[in-house]
Amino acid sequence: MEIVIVTTIITSLFLVIALAEPLATRLRLPYSAILALLGILIGAGAIFFLQTELTDALNPVAEAILALPIRSNVFLYVFLPTLLFQATLGMNLRRMIDDWVPILVLAVVAVVVATLTVGYALAWASALPLAACLLIGAIVSTTDPSAVVSIFRWIAAPRRLVRIIEGESLLNDAAAIALFGLFMGFVMLGVPDPTLQGAFSRFPMLIAGGVATGWLAARIAVWMMALMPRYERAQISVSVALPYLAYIGAEQSIGASGVIAVVSAGLTLNFLGPGRLAPAFWVNLREVWDLLAHWAGALIFILAALLIPRLLEGVRLGDFLLIAVVVAAAIAARAVILFGLLPVLSALRLSPHVDRPYRTAILWGGLRGAVTLALALAVTESFRVPLEVKRVVGILATGFTLFTLVVQGTTLRWVIGKLGLDRLSPLDQALSNQVIAVALQTVREVVAKTTGNYELGHDIVRSEAKRFAAGLDAAVKTAEESAEILDRDRITLGLIALAGAERDSILARLRERTISSRLADQALSNADRLIEAARSGGRTGYQRAAHVSVDYGRAFRAAVFMHNRLRLSRILARMTADRFEILLSQRLILRDLDSFIDARIRRIHGRRVAELLHDLLARRLEAVTTALEALRLQYPGYAEELERRFIRRTALRLEEREYETMREDGLIGPELYTSLMEEIALRRARAEERPKLDLGVHRAKLVRQFRLFADLDDAALRRLVRALRPRYVNAGDLVMRKDAAARSVFFIASGAVELEAAGQTWRLGRGEMFGQMAILMQRPRRAEVRAIAPSTLLVLDEARFRRLLRRSKTLQNAVRESAEKRGIDPERLTAA
C-alpha cells in the first residue's frame, strides 16, 4: 500500500478521535464506547461499499481501509506499552502502596476466577478442548481501565475507591496477558487438557522475570536522565524508549511477561524520578505521556474496532449461545469478587468499605475493549492454532466485547442514575445552595467596586445590578429554605475544604519549585489522606490522619532497624532528610491556612466552625513544630542548611519572574533573556541539591552537647559515639517494660519520657538518663517507661555503661543525684 494512502487514513482517524470526545459528552456515553462504535461503522462501511453495486467511487478508499496492516503485534508492541506506562506514571504511588493488598488481591484473584469460570463454563457448553476454553477465559478477563476510571470519576466516587479500581484494572491487564501467554502455549503445542498445576507453575517466573527486567531498565533510564539534566527533550526521549525496551527485553530475551516489565518500569520511574529529576521536567514528562497515551488509546480502539466486522464474518447460530455463556460466566465471576471477596476484605480492614450501589456500578462497568480484541487477533493470526479454535476465539471475544461496549456501555449511565449515584446527597445539596449564595454575594461586591472604578453609565449599572440582585435574592432564599446543616457536618465539610486548600498550596509550591517533586508527592499523599479521613471519620478521622503525617511510620522504623543492626545508614539518612524537608514545608503551609479559614470557610459555615478549625490547625502546627524541633536537637545545624536552601530556591524563582516580566514588557531582548535563564538554570541546579545528612557526624555533635559526658576526652567521646545506638520512639510507645531484664541504659537526646515506679511518676527530658538503677542494683527493672513525645534515645549496653561510669565523675554524680530523687540510697549503687 502506498505510504500516501496510509498516511491519509491515519491522519483522518485523528479527526475521528477529535470528534469522538465532544460526541461522547453530548450523547452521555463512555468515550471508549464511542470510539469503538465509530470504528465498527468505518469497518462495516468499507465492507459495504466494496460489496455493493450502487457505486464504485469509494472502492479505493474502502480497499485501503480494509488493507491497513493491522496485526496483533501492532497492538501488543506499539500501543499497549504506551497505555500501561502512562497509567503507572499517573498513579499516586504512595497512596497505591497504602492499598496494595486489595489492589493485588482483586487484580490477581479476579483474573484467575474469571479465567477459570469462563473456561470451565465453555468446556461444559462446547466441544472445544479445555486449553482453548481457558485461553478464551484469559482473553475476556481483561477490563478497560480508562473506561472504568472515567466512569467513577464522573459519578464522583470516593478517591480511594477510584484508586483501587484504577490499580486493579491496570494489574488486571498485566495478569490476564501473562495467563494468555501460558494458555496460548498449551494450545499451540496441542495440549488439550492442561492441569492447573502445570498451567500456573510458570506464572511466578513470568511475573518475577518481568518485574526484574522492568526495574533494571528503569534504573538505567533514570541514571541516563540524571547525566543530562539540562536537556529536557533528551530525557523525554529516554523515557519514550524505556517501556518498549523493557517489553521487548522481557519477552524476547528471558521469556518473561513484557506487560509486567512495562508496569514494573513505570512504577520504578514513578518512584525514583521525582527525587532524581527536576520538578519542571517531571511535570512536562507526564504531560507528554498523557498526550501519547490519549492518541494510543484512541487509535487502538478504532483500529481494533475496524476488525470486528471481519472477525464476525463466520458467525453461526450456535455461536450466539456460546457468547451468552461467556457473558454470563464473566459477569458471575466479577460478581463473586465484588459481592463475595470485597466484603471479606472490608471486614478484615484490608479494603475500604464499598457500598452496594458502587459495587453494582463496578459490576456493570466492567467494559472490555481493545486489549481483548488484540489478544483474540493474536490467536487468529497463529498458524499453529487449529482453524476451528481460531474461528471460535475470534467470534466469542468479539461478541463479548461488543456486548460490554454496546449493551453495558450505553446503559451504564442509566444504571448509575437508577442507583442514585449521580445525585447529590441532602447534605451536599444544602451546602451547594449556601456556597452559591456566598459566592454571589462576593461577586456582587467585586462587580460594584469594578463598575465604580471604570465609571460606567449609571443607568446601565443600575439595570444590571437590579437583575443581579434578583438572582442573588433567589439564591439566598433557596439556601434559607434548604435542609439545615448540622454543626458536626459543617465541621466535616470545613475540614475537607481545609485539606483541599492544603493540597492546592502544595501544588503551588511545586510549581514555584520550592519543594521537590518527590516530596511534593509525599505531601500530596498526606493531604489526600486528610481529605478521605475527614470525609469518612469527621473531626476524629482528620486528627488521626494528621497524627499519622508527623508520626514515624513502618518504613522509618525498618530503616532504624537496618541502621542499628546491619549498620546500613544510607536509607535512614535519606528518610531523615526527607522528614526534615517535609516538616519545614508543612509548617510553612499550615501557617498560610489561617487566612483561608477566615476568607472562605467562615463565610460559608460561620464563626463557630471557623474557630474550631483554627484550633485544630493550631494543634497540627504545634505537633509539626514539636517534631521539627526534635529533629533540630538530634541533628544540630541541618535544619538551618535546609532553610537557607529554601530561601535560595525562592529567590531564584522571584528573579526568574522578574526576567520574564521584563521580556514581556520589552525591556530586555530574547538573546539577553536566554542568557539570563541559562545562568539561573545553572544556579538552580546547585541550589536544588539537598545537603547531605551524615548521621555519624551529627550524632557526634549531639553526644558532645550532653552535660553528662562533659569530662570525657576526645578519644573517649569517639568510642562512646560508636557504641551508642539511636532509637526513635513516638508518643505513647513503651520504651522499658517492668520486670524485664536490665541490659541497657538510655540517654534522652530529644523529647521526653514518663517513668512510673512504686506508684510514683517522674518525667525526664533532654540530657537525662534512665535504666541505670536496675543495672547498678543488679535486679530486674521495677519501673515502666513510656514516651510522652516523639523522642530520640541513645542506648548504651551494660558493659560499656559500667566502663563509662568508672571513667566519668560527672556521670557518677548524675547517677547519685538520680538515686536520691527516687529515694534510693546511693551507697547501694556504689556497692553494686
Side-chain angles (χ1 to χ4, degrees):
M1 184 185 299
E2 292 186 9
I3 188 65
V4 175
I5 298 177
V6 175
T7 304
T8 303
I9 295 174
I10 296 298
T11 51
S12 299
L13 291 180
F14 274 91
L15 294 178
V16 175
I17 293 170
L19 296 173
E21 193 166 5
L23 182 61
T25 303
R26 186 175 184 83
L27 297 178
R28 298 175 63 81
L29 292 174
Y31 176 56
S32 55
I34 290 294
L35 287 172
L37 291 174
L38 291 175
I40 293 171
L41 291 175
I42 294 172
I47 295 175
F48 171 78
F49 282 111
L50 275 181
Q51 296 178 350
T52 186
E53 297 180 357
L54 295 176
T55 179
D56 294 332
L58 296 177
N59 282 4
V61 178
E63 290 174 352
I65 292 174
L66 295 178
L68 281 174
I70 304 173
R71 300 290 182 269
S72 61
N73 286 344
V74 174
F75 296 118
L76 298 178
Y77 281 86
V78 177
F79 294 124
L80 190 60
T82 301
L83 295 175
L84 295 174
F85 192 73
Q86 184 274 336
T88 57
L89 290 182
M91 284 182 170
N92 187 332
L93 190 55
R94 296 182 185 277
R95 301 310 317 276
M96 287 289 183
I97 292 174
D98 292 343
D99 295 310
W100 70 271
V101 173
I103 289 173
L104 199 60
V105 171
L106 284 173
V108 176
V109 175
V111 168
V112 173
V113 170
T115 300
L116 296 180
T117 304
V118 174
Y120 280 100
L122 272 179
W124 170 79
S126 70
L128 290 173
L130 179 60
C133 295
L134 291 173
L135 176 64
I136 295 172
I139 291 173
V140 302
S141 64
T142 62
T143 58
D144 174 31
S146 61
V148 177
V149 173
S150 63
I151 290 163
F152 274 82
R153 286 175 178 165
W154 176 75
I155 63 176
R159 289 186 181 181
R160 191 179 180 195
L161 177 59
V162 174
R163 188 168 57 247
I164 289 176
I165 296 302
E166 185 177 15
E168 182 260 337
S169 297
L170 175 66
L171 298 181
N172 176 300
D173 280 354
I177 294 173
L179 279 179
F180 165 82
L182 284 178
F183 293 120
M184 185 67 172
F186 286 121
V187 171
M188 289 190 300
L189 292 174
V191 180
D193 299 312
T195 62
L196 291 182
Q197 181 179 359
F200 289 106
S201 60
R202 291 184 55 234
F203 197 58
M205 288 303 299
L206 285 173
I207 294 178
V211 169
T213 303
W215 176 83
L216 180 61
R219 292 298 298 253
I220 295 174
V222 171
W223 173 74
M224 291 180 63
M225 292 179 190
L227 292 178
M228 40 183 122
R230 296 177 55 192
Y231 303 96
E232 185 174 298
R233 281 174 285 191
Q235 292 177 320
I236 293 177
S237 300
V238 172
S239 77
V240 172
L242 172 59
Y244 296 99
L245 294 178
Y247 190 97
I248 295 170
E251 290 278 344
Q252 304 297 327
S253 300
I254 63 175
S257 170
V259 174
I260 299 289
V262 172
V263 172
S264 174
L267 293 177
T268 303
L269 181 60
N270 191 351
F271 185 77
L272 297 177
R276 309 280 181 88
L277 308 172
F281 160 73
W282 189 248
V283 172
N284 293 338
L285 176 72
R286 284 185 169 180
E287 290 178 354
V288 168
W289 274 100
D290 286 344
L291 183 59
L292 291 176
H294 174 72
W295 286 340
L299 284 173
I300 194 174
F301 258 105
I302 293 179
L303 293 176
L306 287 174
L307 302 172
I308 289 178
R310 279 179 279 174
L311 290 173
L312 294 177
E313 282 180 346
V315 65
R316 302 170 186 168
L317 186 61
D319 295 332
F320 289 101
L321 177 61
L322 296 182
I323 292 174
V325 170
V326 173
V327 170
I331 293 177
R334 195 161 178 81
V336 167
I337 298 298
L338 292 169
F339 294 95
L341 181 60
L342 201 58
V344 172
L345 292 178
S346 299
L348 296 175
R349 297 185 178 181
L350 295 176
S351 173
H353 173 71
V354 182
D355 294 332
R356 183 175 293 272
Y358 284 113
R359 281 181 277 161
T360 305
I362 295 173
L363 175 64
W364 199 246
L367 306 184
R368 271 62 168 182
V371 175
T372 300
L373 294 176
L375 297 180
L377 183 62
V379 176
T380 62
E381 291 174 356
S382 175
F383 65 90
R384 299 174 65 181
V385 177
L387 290 176
E388 179 61 16
V389 172
K390 289 198 288 187
R391 187 191 73 83
V392 174
V393 167
I395 289 173
L396 295 187
T398 305
F400 180 68
T401 302
L402 279 176
F403 174 84
T404 63
L405 290 174
V406 176
V407 179
Q408 292 179 234
T410 56
T411 60
L412 184 56
R413 290 182 185 262
W414 178 82
V415 171
I416 288 172
K418 287 295 184 182
L419 294 172
L421 297 178
D422 59 342
R423 294 190 294 271
L424 292 175
S425 66
L427 175 62
D428 289 336
Q429 185 61 56
L431 175 65
S432 174
N433 295 333
Q434 292 205 0
V435 167
I436 291 173
V438 172
L440 289 179
Q441 288 175 353
T442 304
V443 170
R444 181 180 64 178
E445 295 170 4
V446 175
V447 168
K449 183 178 179 180
T450 303
T451 54
N453 292 338
Y454 285 112
E455 298 182 356
L456 301 178
H458 179 72
D459 293 337
I460 296 175
V461 171
R462 183 177 179 183
S463 173
E464 290 300 316
K466 185 177 180 181
R467 180 181 177 186
F468 186 85
L472 176 59
D473 292 340
V476 172
K477 183 178 180 181
T478 302
E480 291 174 349
E481 294 175 353
S482 63
E484 184 65 25
I485 305 178
L486 300 176
D487 284 347
R488 179 187 60 203
D489 294 329
R490 288 186 180 277
I491 292 169
T492 298
L493 293 169
L495 289 173
I496 294 172
L498 188 63
E502 183 174 344
R503 195 178 195 282
D504 293 340
S505 181
I506 294 167
L507 290 172
R509 291 183 182 278
L510 176 62
R511 289 191 295 269
E512 296 292 328
R513 300 182 183 181
T514 56
I515 182 173
S516 67
S517 298
R518 180 165 57 84
L519 294 183
D521 285 344
Q522 184 176 340
L524 289 171
S525 296
N526 292 336
D528 288 340
R529 287 193 188 95
L530 289 171
I531 294 172
E532 293 170 9
R535 189 180 298 276
S536 60
R539 187 195 316 183
T540 304
Y542 180 90
Q543 290 175 313
R544 190 182 299 115
H547 175 73
V548 170
S549 67
V550 297
D551 198 3
Y552 291 107
R554 294 178 182 176
F556 196 92
R557 296 176 190 275
V560 172
F561 176 83
M562 294 172 66
H563 172 69
N564 291 341
R565 300 296 177 86
L566 306 177
R567 301 300 179 188
L568 299 175
S569 303
R570 184 177 178 181
I571 297 177
L572 179 60
R574 179 177 60 79
M575 295 185 70
T576 303
D578 288 349
R579 181 174 172 81
F580 252 122
E581 194 167 353
I582 282 288
L583 291 174
L584 279 171
S585 300
Q586 198 171 11
R587 187 180 63 175
L588 293 172
I589 290 169
L590 291 179
R591 286 177 174 173
D592 293 339
L593 290 179
D594 278 315
S595 59
F596 175 80
I597 295 175
D598 291 330
R600 310 295 294 176
I601 295 179
R602 183 186 295 270
R603 300 194 65 177
I604 297 175
H605 297 295
R607 181 178 56 83
R608 288 180 56 191
V609 173
E611 290 176 352
L612 191 142
L613 295 188
H614 276 303
D615 182 60
L616 290 175
L617 194 62
R619 294 182 189 178
R620 279 193 65 196
L621 184 58
E622 182 181 0
V624 169
T625 303
T626 301
L628 186 58
E629 288 304 316
L631 285 176
R632 287 178 184 272
L633 294 173
Q634 295 167 33
Y635 307 104
Y638 188 74
E640 285 76 6
E641 294 179 25
L642 288 181
E643 288 174 351
R644 291 192 189 96
R645 173 173 171 258
F646 174 81
I647 293 172
R648 287 194 295 268
R649 293 170 72 174
T650 303
L652 282 172
R653 179 55 184 157
L654 294 174
E655 184 178 352
E656 187 178 50
R657 278 186 186 174
E658 286 298 316
Y659 295 149
E660 290 173 354
T661 303
M662 290 180 181
R663 185 194 60 174
E664 292 171 358
D665 294 341
L667 298 177
I668 59 176
E671 297 83 2
L672 177 57
Y673 174 77
T674 302
S675 175
L676 292 172
M677 297 306 290
E678 288 179 353
E679 181 186 353
I680 284 183
L682 292 174
R683 289 157 56 194
R684 177 176 285 115
R686 291 192 297 267
E688 288 182 350
E689 291 180 3
R690 189 169 63 186
K692 185 178 179 181
L693 176 61
D694 190 332
L695 298 180
V697 172
H698 285 280
R699 189 169 56 184
K701 292 180 181 178
L702 190 63
V703 169
R704 292 179 186 277
Q705 294 181 358
F706 271 80
R707 181 180 57 86
L708 299 173
F709 310 136
D711 58 348
L712 296 180
D713 57 31
D714 290 341
L717 275 174
R718 285 194 296 270
R719 289 194 297 271
L720 179 60
V721 168
R722 290 194 295 269
L724 287 168
R725 292 181 293 107
R727 179 177 173 186
Y728 302 88
V729 293
N730 288 314
D733 286 357
L734 185 64
V735 180
M736 200 170 73
R737 193 180 301 277
K738 189 176 182 181
D739 296 326
R743 297 190 179 93
S744 304
V745 177
F746 300 83
F747 299 89
I748 304 174
S750 66
V753 301
E754 192 171 72
L755 185 147
E756 184 179 350
Q760 292 184 296
T761 300
W762 294 270
R763 289 193 172 184
L764 306 177
R766 181 189 176 202
E768 298 186 274
M769 64 179 168
F770 60 91
Q772 74 279 7
M773 297 300 175
I775 286 179
L776 297 177
M777 298 179 70
Q778 295 182 339
R779 67 181 189 186
R781 301 195 187 279
R782 293 288 183 264
E784 182 176 271
V785 180
R786 191 176 298 273
I788 58 176
S791 306
T792 299
L793 310 176
L794 300 177
V795 186
L796 192 64
D797 62 74
E798 178 182 356
R800 289 187 174 91
F801 174 72
R802 288 185 179 276
R803 289 199 296 269
L804 178 65
L805 186 62
R806 287 194 294 269
R807 292 194 191 99
S808 174
K809 292 292 184 182
T810 304
L811 187 60
Q812 292 172 12
N813 293 334
V815 169
R816 288 178 173 273
E817 291 175 6
S818 177
E820 290 172 354
K821 287 181 180 178
R822 296 176 55 183
I824 299 173
D825 185 3
E827 295 302 323
R828 293 175 60 190
L829 303 180
T830 305

